[in-house]
């Protein structure tokens, strides 16, 4: 029987000791879940162990093949450049090893469900009924990047969180490198008519940046006592996150790095759209776009075949 490739988890890194330990503990949990293969994890920067040390740990256990999964919600510079560069360097340092590289984690329905749970918990802690969402505006706060595609992924997560869940709205802000920042995002929510806001950090674990989100939220709330503002927790090492990392591992091992089907209503039962799962797809056109309907229909047909 062929030995399955090992699993290497690549993290961003943080100056926050609790956040770094949360990552290391998560790697240990994955290893305990999957005793049939070696599991190791390391950081790109800021925290020990570095990614190269994690690769060396695997090699010293006799590993020659592994799949690397970035423990990151969006594909920004680290996932697109730094991790592949680090892995290429390790391949030179350890002749004879080979690896495949998985894709980032979000936005995935399982993580959206955890975010929804975090919102319910924040409401419950404030004595509010979680089911009362019609007047609740959510501000989803991402890390922020100089990569517009990465920032767009946070907007996509916000839209998917809004769809079918009954919130008044889900707006987006960033804690660094991109606009709007947290205070500006809260201002925007108010201009749109919000009177109850939950600020939801789009982060996997605790750390300096999620702490900054909470501090900025509290500062803004103190200056705006007429608006009810609550803070939700980060995603955390939930079972859904463990399952998703394993799903990304299996994709990488099989070479099944598909187009984005995680949020496709024809494959995944998303809230409010459950009846679309498995529906046959037919070419169609939009009545207000006659000039392009042939091309659109062809694209949609190709999309359904890709699924």
């Amino acid at each position: 029987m062929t030995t399955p490739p090992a699993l290497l988890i690549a993290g961003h890194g943080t100056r926050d000791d609790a956040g770094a330990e949360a990552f290391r503990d998560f790697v240990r949990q994955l290893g305990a879940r999957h005793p049939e293969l070696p599991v190791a994890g390391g950081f790109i920067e800021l925290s020990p162990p570095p990614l190269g040390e994690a690769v060396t740990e695997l090699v010293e256990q006799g590993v020659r093949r592994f799949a690397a999964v970035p423990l990151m919600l969006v594909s920004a510079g680290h996932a697109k450049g730094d991790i592949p560069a680090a892995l290429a360097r390790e391949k030179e340092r350890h002749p004879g090893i080979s690896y495949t590289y998985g894709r980032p984690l979000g936005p995935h329905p399982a993580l959206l469900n955890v975010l929804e749970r975090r919102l319910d918990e924040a409401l419950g802690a404030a004595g509010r009924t979680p089911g009362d969402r019609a007047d609740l505006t959510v501000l989803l706060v991402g890390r922020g990047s100089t990569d517009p595609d990465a920032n767009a992924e946070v907007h996509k997560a916000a839209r998917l969180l809004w769809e079918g869940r009954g919130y008044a709205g889900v707006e987006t802000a960033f804690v660094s490198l991109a606009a709007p920042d947290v205070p500006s995002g809260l201002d925007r929510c108010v201009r749109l008519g919000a009177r109850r806001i939950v600020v939801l950090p789009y982060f996997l674990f605790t750390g300096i940046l999620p702490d900054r989100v909470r501090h900025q939220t509290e500062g803004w709330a103190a200056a705006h006592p007429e608006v009810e503002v609550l803070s939700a927790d980060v995603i955390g090492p939930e079972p859904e996150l463990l399952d998703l990392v394993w799903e990304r591992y299996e994709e990488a091992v099989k070479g099944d790095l598909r187009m984005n089907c995680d949020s496709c209503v024809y494959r995944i039962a998303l809230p409010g759209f459950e009846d679309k799962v498995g529906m046959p797809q037919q070419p169609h056109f939009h009545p207000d776009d006659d000039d392009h309907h042939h091309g659109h229909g062809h694209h949609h047909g190709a999309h359904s075949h890709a699924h």
Side-chain angles (χ1 to χ4, degrees):
M1 180 178 173
T2 305
T3 304
L7 170 56
L8 175 69
I9 307 296
H12 179 283
T14 174
R15 291 184 178 89
D16 181 79
D17 291 340
E21 183 56 30
F23 171 91
R24 292 188 288 262
D25 185 61
F26 183 81
V27 172
R28 288 190 288 266
Q29 287 185 58
L30 269 171
R33 264 193 174 206
H34 299 284
E36 73 279 9
L37 78 164
V39 177
F43 295 102
I44 289 298
E45 60 182 4
L46 302 175
S47 316
L51 194 62
E53 191 175 302
V55 173
T56 299
E57 176 188 332
L58 291 175
V59 171
E60 288 176 350
Q61 295 178 58
V63 168
R64 289 294 173 265
R65 295 187 306 136
F66 63 87
V69 175
L71 199 69
M72 298 172 184
L73 289 167
V74 300
S75 187
H78 289 293
K80 291 178 179 178
D82 295 337
I83 296 173
L87 293 175
R89 184 178 65 240
E90 293 310 309
K91 197 170 189 302
E92 290 184 3
R93 288 179 178 171
H94 303 283
I97 68 169
S98 63
Y99 61 87
T100 54
Y101 183 40
R103 57 189 176 125
L105 305 175
H108 189 283
L111 296 186
L112 295 172
N113 289 340
V114 177
L115 291 173
E116 181 179 14
R117 196 155 71 234
R118 294 291 177 259
L119 290 169
D120 285 347
E121 289 165 357
L123 288 171
R128 299 290 182 176
T129 304
D132 182 20
R133 300 175 173 182
D135 65 345
L136 179 68
T137 299
V138 178
L139 183 64
L140 184 71
V141 182
R143 174 182 296 273
S145 172
T146 55
D147 182 338
D149 180 48
N151 296 331
E153 284 291 301
V154 181
H155 278 265
K156 182 174 183 178
R159 183 71 206 190
L160 288 168
L161 185 63
W162 188 0
E163 295 274 0
R165 287 182 170 85
Y167 301 115
V170 180
E171 295 299 315
T172 311
F174 301 94
V175 74
S176 66
L177 298 175
D181 59 14
V182 174
S184 298
L186 286 163
D187 289 342
R188 174 178 167 81
C189 290
V190 171
R191 287 198 299 272
L192 291 170
R195 288 295 173 266
R196 298 176 62 218
I197 305 170
V198 177
V199 176
L200 176 62
Y202 192 47
F203 287 83
L204 292 174
F205 302 127
T206 56
I208 289 174
L209 293 182
D211 287 348
R212 187 181 302 166
V213 173
R214 185 175 288 267
H215 293 151
Q216 291 180 355
T217 299
E218 291 170 352
W220 188 94
H224 299 80
E226 73 282 4
V227 183
E228 182 183 4
V229 184
L230 305 173
S231 290
D233 286 333
V234 296
I235 290 170
E238 294 294 286
E240 290 94 335
L241 184 58
L242 289 156
D243 290 341
L244 178 54
V245 170
W246 185 252
E247 183 178 322
R248 292 290 185 255
Y249 165 80
E250 291 189 315
E251 286 177 358
V253 169
K254 296 173 185 174
D256 181 27
L257 300 182
R258 303 165 296 173
M259 61 182 288
N260 178 29
C261 297
D262 288 335
S263 52
C264 174
V265 292
Y266 302 107
R267 290 179 63 92
I268 304 295
L270 297 179
F273 302 94
E274 292 88 349
D275 60 335
K276 289 187 178 290
V277 175
M279 283 179 64
Q281 297 304 292
Q282 301 296 330
H284 70 286
F285 67 95
H286 298 292
D288 58 349
D289 196 20
D290 281 330
D291 290 341
H292 299 96
H293 73 270
H294 294 296
H296 183 87
H298 174 75
H299 171 78
H300 196 83
H303 180 83
S304 63
H305 285 306
H307 281 60

